[in-house]
Amino acid sequence: MDIEQLKYPIGKYQPPNPISETHIKQWIKEIALLPSTLKATVQGMTEAQLATPYRDGGWTVRQTVHHVADSHMNAYCRFKLALTEETPTIKPYLEARWAELEDGRNAPIELSLTLLESLHSRWLMMLKTMSMSDFKRTFFRPDQAKELTLGSVLGLYAWHGNHHCAHIVSLKERMKW
């Protein structure tokens, strides 16, 4: 398996243009399923397996689980900002450094699995009440020097959860776990 396949087991995120109501509904379903999908993906893994990187130079399974929670917390906050302010500038974060903090390296994965379940419950309450015009609202991402619509960001985070679950599934298949 080449490095690109290991990095992007489901391919890179490519937002459709235009983003339709059908896309939005599908992505909301994927956001709804992620907590249970991720939990099922890591269920029964040993401490040694959780400490295994999904690829050379990649995060461990444990760090990946915590990263998904960190990332989706940021996404939730970004949605709230964009829904309550006019094109707010969001604060980027250094995800690789977050993964190296003590909680990213060593906290029990159950903490992030529970956090994701609660976070996604809250996020879904918001997402299900948003109109198509709400999904056209934007925030400015200074590290990319561009405005992003909430619709495209929703697709990104639906992809993001699937992407990291695929990292873990691929590792388990390669290791025959």
Side-chain angles (χ1 to χ4, degrees):
M1 191 175 277
D2 73 11
I3 190 70
E4 281 302 300
Q5 256 188 314
L6 290 172
K7 283 184 178 181
Y8 300 101
I10 62 171
K12 293 183 180 181
Y13 174 61
Q14 297 293 329
N17 190 10
I19 293 172
S20 70
E21 189 169 352
T22 301
H23 293 118
I24 298 293
K25 287 179 180 178
Q26 178 58 39
W27 293 333
I28 290 172
K29 284 180 188 174
E30 292 175 32
I31 294 289
L33 289 172
L34 178 66
S36 61
T37 301
L38 183 58
K39 185 175 187 175
T41 300
V42 298
Q43 187 168 14
M45 292 184 79
T46 66
E47 287 299 313
Q49 290 168 336
L50 292 171
T52 304
Y54 67 84
R55 65 173 171 82
D56 286 341
W59 291 328
T60 65
V61 172
R62 179 183 314 280
Q63 286 173 304
T64 302
V65 170
H66 294 315
H67 161 72
V68 172
D70 290 343
S71 179
H72 289 216
M73 279 190 296
N74 275 280
Y76 175 70
C77 292
R78 291 169 179 178
F79 265 72
K80 289 184 84 87
L81 288 168
L83 288 168
T84 59
E85 300 175 21
E86 290 305 315
T87 314
T89 298
I90 58 101
K91 170 85 172 83
Y93 70 103
L94 301 173
E95 59 187 37
R97 289 186 186 175
W98 283 38
E100 291 301 323
L101 294 173
E102 180 64 19
D103 65 319
R105 287 184 299 108
N106 294 310
I109 60 169
E110 291 74 22
L111 294 175
S112 284
L113 293 172
T114 300
L115 175 60
L116 268 175
E117 189 176 327
S118 296
L119 175 66
H120 278 230
S121 293
R122 285 279 307 272
W123 197 6
L124 286 163
M125 284 182 75
M126 179 180 17
L127 292 171
K128 289 177 179 178
T129 63
M130 289 172 61
S131 66
M132 282 305 289
S133 64
D134 288 333
F135 285 104
K136 291 178 182 165
R137 294 183 65 88
T138 61
F139 60 75
F140 180 73
R141 195 167 166 154
D143 57 327
Q144 296 177 357
K146 66 180 176 182
E147 283 185 28
L148 299 170
T149 67
L150 292 182
S152 68
V153 173
L154 178 65
L156 174 66
Y157 282 92
W159 170 87
H160 183 259
N162 294 330
H163 164 73
H164 285 302
C165 284
H167 280 144
I168 299 165
V169 168
S170 174
L171 172 66
K172 288 169 68 174
E173 288 170 354
R174 289 191 318 276
M175 301 297 282
K176 297 181 178 25
W177 291 340

